[in-house]
Amino acid sequence: DYIYGSRGNEKSCTAQGFFISIGSIACYTNVSLALHYLLMLKMGWSENKIKRQARLWLFAVPVTIGLAFSFAGIPFYDS
């Protein structure tokens, strides 16, 4: 468990694991962006239709999933 030159404690390790996990939101947002382009280019949705029906979901779902996984992993970051 000891690495030469390492600094910090269990709490800083947990915080680091949490913030690294928060980075997964970028991956989920990339999927959301791909779905946005799929709806526009392949499905022929207009920008107004996307704003009315999908924009909230395309933003909220990646953030919610990323935060849920980050908070759910907190008990496991110290091991």
Side-chain angles (χ1 to χ4, degrees), residues 25-66:
I25 292 175
C27 298
Y28 303 130
T29 304
N30 191 26
V31 172
S32 184
L33 183 62
L35 286 172
H36 181 272
Y37 285 118
L38 174 77
L39 291 173
M40 282 185 70
L41 300 175
K42 281 289 195 183
M43 308 301 266
W45 284 30
S46 67
E47 187 65 32
N48 286 333
K49 186 173 182 179
I50 291 175
K51 282 181 184 178
R52 283 179 291 146
Q53 296 183 2
R55 182 173 265 175
L56 177 65
W57 292 104
L58 291 174
F59 173 75
V61 171
V63 173
T64 303
I65 290 173

